[in-house]
Amino acid sequence: MPLTRRGFLASLAATVPLAVIVRRAHAAAAEYVQGDPATLDALALTVLPSQLGRAGIAREAAAFRDWAAKYKESAELVHGYGTSRLRSTGPTPLTRWTAQLDQLDADAQRLRQRRFRDLSAGDREQIVRDALKGERLDRMPAVVDASHVALALLAHFYDSPGAADLCYEAQIGRQTCRPLAAQANKPRPMLKVLEK
Amino acid sequence: MTRRAVETDVCIVGSGISAAMVAERLARTTTAKILVIEAGDDTVPLAQRAAARERFVRYNENPWGRDHLEGYEVEGPLQSRSMQVGGLAMHWGAVTPRFSPEDFKQHSLYGVGTDWPISYEDLDPFYQEAEELMGVAGEQGPEDLDPRGKPFPLPAIPLTYNLDLLKKWASSAGIAMWSQPSAKNSIPYRGRPQCCRNDTCSPICPIGAKYSPDFTWSALRKTNRITLTTRTLVRKLVLSPDGKTVTHAIATNRDRPDEPVELRAKLFVVAAGYTWSSHLLLLSAQDKAPNGVGNSSGLVGKYLAGHRNVQTIVELPLRLYPGMNEQHSLVTKQFMRLKGGSEYTRHDLRIWESSNGRAPRLTDDSGALMLGDAILDDWRRRTKTGTARVRAYYDVIPDRGSELTLDVARKNEFGDPLPKLSFRDAPESVSMRARTEESIRTLFADMARAGDGRLLRAPTVDNFQDHPSGGCRMGSDASSSVVDSWGRTHDHENLFVVGAPTCVSGSCANATLTFCALALRSAREMERGLPQASAKSSE
C-alpha cells in the first residue's frame, strides 16, 4: 500500500525526535503541496481576484507554495526596537495548511461527492466560506499568522508589490529596485492589466 | 594566568559609526597604529545582503545573522541588541538631520536644560566632514532655520510624487517642509551605487547605497591602516598607579575565554555607544577609581537623553501611491525655534507617505466576508484617497535619574554585571509634557483641516525615548560632567569617550549625524598627541 502523507507523518512520530519530526513534517508538507498542487490551485481560483487571469492566479499559487516551502522555523526575527528581547519564527504553518487543504477535499467529497478541484466556482466558494466560519476576519493577517490556508493565500497575495500595483492600476513596484529619479513622477498606468 | 599583550598607539573600543569616524580621521591625519576591538562578529558581506534582505522581506527574519551576544537580555529600554562590526548603524535608517543651533544653548536661550560647552558653529565643520565621509544627500532648508557652512555633498533625494503633494498640503497649513537629509546615495558616491528605492534601508540596504560603517572599515582594512579584532570583549580599563592615565585594557576573546588579552595603548577611545561606553567605565571600578573609571563626578551613566514622538495618520483627499519610497520623508525645523515670549515647546515635524488605513481587508463595512474580486474592488474604492503619517519628535530634558547602572542580578557569561537602564523626564520636562503634546495634537488637527482631511485616529505618544544618547555628558566643569568638549575624560588624560554618550541633550531630531560630528571633533583633539601624517598622505 502506498504511504500517504498522514501515514508518513504518523510513522515519523513513532520513531524520531520531535525536532526532526517537525523538520521532516515541514518537508513532507512542502513536497505534498508541490507534488499535488491542484487543491491549492483551485482554492486560489476561488479566493484571488479574477483580474489576475487564470495564469496569474496559478503564478500566485506557485509563489505561495514557494513561500511556504522556504519557511524556516526558529529563525531569528528582526530585532525589536527598544527591547533586548529576541524573537524567532514559530513552528511551520504549512503542516496545518496542508491538513486544511485535505479538509477542503473531504468537505467537497462529503457535500458533493467530488474533489474540491472538480467543484463549480460557486460550490468551492461555499465550502471556503463554511471553512472560514469562526476564524478571525477583522484584518488581513500576516501570512505566517494566517489561521487558515485560504487566509494565508490571500495574505500572501495582498502583501505583494503586484497586488498594490493591481489595486492602484499603476506601476509602483513597491520594494523593488527602481530608478531614483522616476519617483518624482506619478507612477505610470499598468497597461497590461488595463488591456486584459 | 598569563595574559597575551598587544601594543598599539590608539585602542578604539567598539566598531560602530562613531568609532568608524574616529578611525577614519586618525588613519588619514596621523601615522598612529590603530587597533579597533569589537565584541561581536564581522557583519554580513555586501554580496550576501540581497539574499538576506529577501528573507527579511518575505519572513521578517533578521538580515544580520549573528549580530548579537547571547545572554545579554538587559532590564530597561535597550535600543537594540545589535553588537557587530558596524554596530547599530548597520541597520539604521540613515536619516541625518543636524541638531538645531538652539539645541546647544537651551538654558541660556530658554531657561531649560543645560547648555552644551560647544556651539552649533563649533560643530558645523565636523557636521560637514561627517556628511562628506558618509555621503549625505540633502536639501538646504531655510537658512535661518537650517544654517550650514557649506552645501550638502550630495544632491537631495528627490521628493516622490506623493511627498510633493504632501509638501503642498503642508504648505497650505503654513508649514515649509523639505527633503529629509539622508546618508543614502542620490548619485553614485565613493564607489557605492545610487539608491534604487529598494525601500528597506532600515534594516538593510541590499546594494550599499546607504552608508554603513562597514564600508569605512573595509577601506581601512584594505590599506592596512587599522587592525580590527572581532569577538573580543573589553571588560576593564586599568589605571596607572597615580590614576591619571589608562595603562591598558583587559579583554576576553570569546573563542578563548581562558586567555585574557592585555591591550596597551597611548590613547584609549571608548566608542561603544550610549549603553556599553558607560557600562565599561562602571565595570572598571578599581582602587584609584572606586566608582568606575572617569567617574569622579559620579555622573557616568547619568543623564541619558532622548526624545519622544507624537504620531498620527491623516486622511487626505489626495490620490497617493504608497510604496514609491516609504522610508523617505519631509522634514521641517520650523517648530524647533520658539517664537518670542511663547512657552517652551519644541519639536520637529515629519511627513511620510502611508498605506495606513488603506490596507486590503477581508470583510466589508457590514462585517461580511469578501472573497475573489470583492476584496480588490473594495480596496480600490478605499484607495481613491490617501493617508499620510505625521510625526513630531519633541524635546525631553534629561534627568540625572535617567541612568545606566550595573545590574547585580544579571551577569554575562564572564560574570560581569549587565547594565540596567531607566529613563525619566527632568522635573521641568514633566511640567512641559502635557502642554507640548497638546500643542502637537492641535497642530495635527489644524493640518488636517487645512487639507480638507481628518485624523484617521487620535494621535498616539510613543513613551520610548528614541535615539538615545548621554551617560558621559560633556561639560566644562569636572564636577557636573564626565568629559570635556572634546570627549576627553576630565579624570584621565589619555581616555576619550566619543559620540552618543557625550551628548548633553537629545534634541528633537535623529542624533546619529551629531554623534559622528562629535566623534570627528574628538579625533581632531586626539591628533595633537599623535605622529602626524604628511600633508600628501592625509589628503
Side-chain angles (χ1 to χ4, degrees):
Chain A
M1 195 173 83
L3 189 61
T4 63
R5 186 180 60 84
R6 283 179 182 153
F8 172 63
L9 294 179
S11 65
L12 272 180
T15 56
V16 288
L18 185 61
V20 178
I21 291 173
V22 167
R23 274 202 302 278
R24 290 191 189 167
H26 175 77
E31 194 176 323
Y32 176 67
V33 291
Q34 295 283 5
D36 182 12
T39 307
L40 183 68
D41 286 345
L43 179 62
L45 277 171
T46 310
V47 301
L48 295 182
S50 63
Q51 286 178 48
L52 287 168
R54 286 190 81 89
I57 288 173
R59 272 197 302 277
E60 291 303 329
F64 173 71
R65 278 195 295 275
D66 183 67
W67 184 97
K70 291 176 179 166
Y71 180 84
K72 287 182 192 165
E73 297 185 326
S74 305
E76 188 180 314
L77 291 170
V78 78
H79 292 188
Y81 202 55
T83 174
S84 60
R85 197 168 62 84
L86 301 175
R87 301 165 304 142
S88 301
T89 53
T92 178
L94 187 54
T95 45
R96 182 175 73 241
W97 294 340
T98 50
Q100 289 164 344
L101 288 171
D102 283 352
Q103 188 60 48
L104 290 176
D105 257 337
D107 291 345
Q109 288 287 359
R110 182 171 49 83
L111 294 169
R112 295 284 182 269
Q113 294 76 50
R114 300 169 73 182
R115 292 181 300 185
F116 183 77
R117 70 194 68 170
D118 298 326
L119 295 181
S120 69
D123 284 346
R124 286 199 312 265
E125 179 172 333
Q126 192 52 54
I127 285 175
V128 171
R129 286 184 176 279
D130 289 345
L132 294 179
K133 277 181 187 158
E135 300 292 345
R136 187 177 168 180
L137 302 172
D138 58 338
R139 57 192 294 180
M140 189 73 75
V143 186
V144 70
D145 297 331
S147 57
H148 192 276
V149 62
L151 302 180
L153 195 51
L154 283 167
H156 184 266
F157 168 66
Y158 279 104
D159 190 41
S160 68
D165 284 2
L166 191 63
C167 169
Y168 287 88
E169 298 176 291
Q171 298 175 52
I172 301 169
R174 178 170 61 86
Q175 292 189 337
T176 60
C177 186
R178 302 153 285 173
L180 184 63
Q183 72 177 16
N185 305 321
K186 185 176 177 177
R188 287 190 289 185
M190 216 175 128
L191 296 174
K192 283 183 182 172
V193 168
L194 298 178
E195 284 165 1
K196 268 183 185 168
Chain B
M1 190 183 294
T2 308
R3 288 188 195 137
R4 187 164 62 87
V6 177
E7 296 271 351
T8 187
D9 291 328
V10 182
C11 176
I12 301 176
V13 182
S15 71
I17 200 164
S18 294
M21 295 292 128
V22 170
E24 201 282 342
R25 179 160 176 137
L26 294 183
R28 180 164 34 97
T29 59
T30 76
T31 58
K33 199 171 161 186
I34 301 165
L35 174 66
V36 181
I37 301 291
E38 168 57 48
D41 288 280
D42 251 315
T43 191
V44 176
L46 180 58
Q48 293 173 18
R49 287 182 200 166
R53 174 199 183 255
E54 188 68 15
R55 296 291 306 179
F56 160 70
V57 169
R58 298 185 87 187
Y59 304 101
N60 202 32
E61 287 178 13
N62 180 11
W64 305 104
R66 300 188 307 162
D67 73 336
H68 63 272
L69 270 55
E70 296 298 336
Y72 272 62
E73 288 81 13
V74 309
E75 187 180 326
L78 184 74
Q79 190 183 25
S80 168
R81 272 293 288 275
S82 284
M83 202 181 280
Q84 60 176 333
V85 170
L88 274 60
M90 292 311 300
H91 55 77
W92 71 321
V95 175
T96 51
R98 295 180 174 194
F99 281 8
S100 74
E102 294 79 9
D103 286 316
F104 297 86
K105 43 188 179 183
Q106 281 175 300
H107 189 76
S108 47
L109 281 176
Y110 307 125
V112 300
T114 307
D115 283 354
W116 292 50
I118 55 172
S119 68
Y120 179 88
E121 291 71 25
D122 292 328
L123 207 53
D124 174 73
F126 300 99
Y127 270 132
Q128 187 73 29
E129 186 178 350
E131 289 165 342
E132 289 174 6
L133 283 173
M134 290 190 277
V136 170
E139 177 183 357
Q140 171 71 63
E143 284 188 21
D144 60 326
L145 292 173
D146 193 26
R148 43 185 307 120
K150 290 181 184 175
F152 281 101
L154 273 67
I157 301 283
L159 294 186
T160 61
Y161 173 80
N162 297 328
L163 287 184
D164 193 51
L165 290 176
L166 296 173
K167 182 179 177 178
K168 290 179 178 116
W169 161 53
S171 178
S172 74
I175 304 166
M177 303 196 79
W178 56 92
S179 177
Q180 177 75 277
S182 308
K184 303 174 196 170
N185 285 355
S186 56
I187 53 173
Y189 188 71
R190 293 196 164 197
R192 294 183 290 112
Q194 183 186 41
C195 166
C196 70
R197 290 196 278 155
N198 283 292
D199 213 1
T200 54
C201 322
S202 176
I204 187 167
C205 172
I207 63 169
K210 177 188 83 171
Y211 173 80
S212 47
D214 59 309
F215 295 116
T216 297
W217 297 126
S218 294
L220 293 173
R221 281 165 143 176
K222 205 171 170 181
T223 54
N224 292 319
R225 274 305 284 118
I226 60 153
T227 301
L228 201 167
T229 301
T230 59
R231 299 182 61 76
T232 301
L233 180 68
V234 177
R235 298 172 56 202
K236 186 172 185 176
L237 300 170
V238 179
L239 299 174
S240 59
D242 64 4
K244 287 184 178 171
T245 58
V246 175
T247 57
H248 62 280
I250 298 172
T252 299
N253 182 302
R254 289 162 49 211
D255 299 319
R256 295 185 296 280
D258 296 331
E259 301 170 27
V261 185
E262 194 171 291
L263 308 167
R264 298 191 161 272
K266 296 186 180 95
L267 202 63
F268 286 86
V269 181
V270 178
Y274 83 102
T275 299
W276 306 110
S277 297
S278 295
H279 181 245
L280 175 59
L281 299 190
L282 293 176
L283 274 185
S284 300
Q286 54 205 275
D287 284 350
K288 289 289 176 184
N291 297 318
V293 162
N295 198 21
S296 62
S297 63
L299 293 179
V300 169
K302 312 290 185 190
Y303 289 106
L304 297 177
H307 40 239
R308 276 191 291 272
N309 75 72
V310 184
Q311 177 167 291
T312 194
I313 303 293
V314 182
E315 187 176 59
L316 292 161
L318 297 171
R319 174 68 162 165
L320 300 171
Y321 297 87
M324 293 188 74
N325 194 344
E326 286 172 304
Q327 295 208 5
H328 190 50
S329 78
L330 297 166
V331 69
T332 185
K333 291 186 170 179
Q334 186 168 324
F335 306 100
M336 290 171 79
R337 179 169 297 171
L338 267 63
K339 290 175 187 153
S342 58
E343 290 185 298
Y344 188 87
T345 297
R346 289 178 75 237
H347 59 86
D348 81 344
L349 185 72
R350 300 159 196 217
I351 300 176
W352 291 264
E353 65 176 55
S354 175
S355 55
N356 215 304
R358 293 294 182 273
R361 57 185 189 171
L362 292 165
T363 55
D364 62 19
D365 291 334
S366 72
L369 173 66
M370 298 182 287
L371 291 174
D373 290 333
I375 296 178
L376 182 63
D377 293 343
D378 173 75
W379 194 18
R380 280 188 177 144
R381 266 194 308 277
R382 292 168 45 247
T383 50
K384 295 294 178 199
T385 60
T387 61
R389 182 160 65 101
V390 185
R391 176 183 286 184
Y393 285 105
Y394 72 84
D395 263 351
V396 176
I397 308 299
D399 187 73
R400 185 187 166 107
S402 273
E403 62 180 6
L404 179 151
T405 52
L406 297 181
D407 187 346
V408 291
R410 299 184 195 211
K411 296 188 175 174
N412 68 8
E413 61 185 307
F414 308 116
D416 300 329
L418 291 174
K420 182 158 71 172
L421 296 154
S422 64
F423 282 78
R424 70 181 194 199
D425 297 19
E428 58 200 316
S429 208
V430 172
S431 69
M432 295 184 307
R433 179 172 179 173
R435 184 176 73 237
T436 299
E437 291 175 2
E438 187 52 35
S439 160
I440 293 169
R441 286 190 195 99
T442 302
L443 173 68
F444 289 170
D446 290 346
M447 290 171 69
R449 208 172 299 116
D452 294 326
R454 69 182 182 101
L455 302 188
L456 201 58
R457 62 184 61 124
T460 56
V461 181
D462 187 351
N463 273 316
F464 174 62
Q465 288 206 26
D466 208 349
H467 307 126
S469 61
C472 297
R473 60 166 26 185
M474 62 166 61
S476 308
D477 180 353
S479 67
S480 60
S481 57
V482 176
V483 299
D484 66 15
S485 78
W486 303 98
R488 187 194 301 268
T489 52
H490 293 301
D491 296 353
H492 315 293
E493 61 196 39
N494 70 335
L495 175 62
F496 284 76
V497 179
V498 300
T502 66
C503 287
V504 175
S505 52
S507 181
C508 30
N510 308 55
T512 303
L513 180 73
T514 300
F515 304 160
C516 293
L518 291 168
L520 286 165
R521 189 170 181 275
S522 294
R524 197 184 73 169
E525 178 65 9
M526 295 171 203
E527 286 164 14
R528 292 173 189 268
L530 297 169
Q532 301 298 297
S534 65
K536 192 176 175 185
S537 63
S538 66
E539 278 170 3

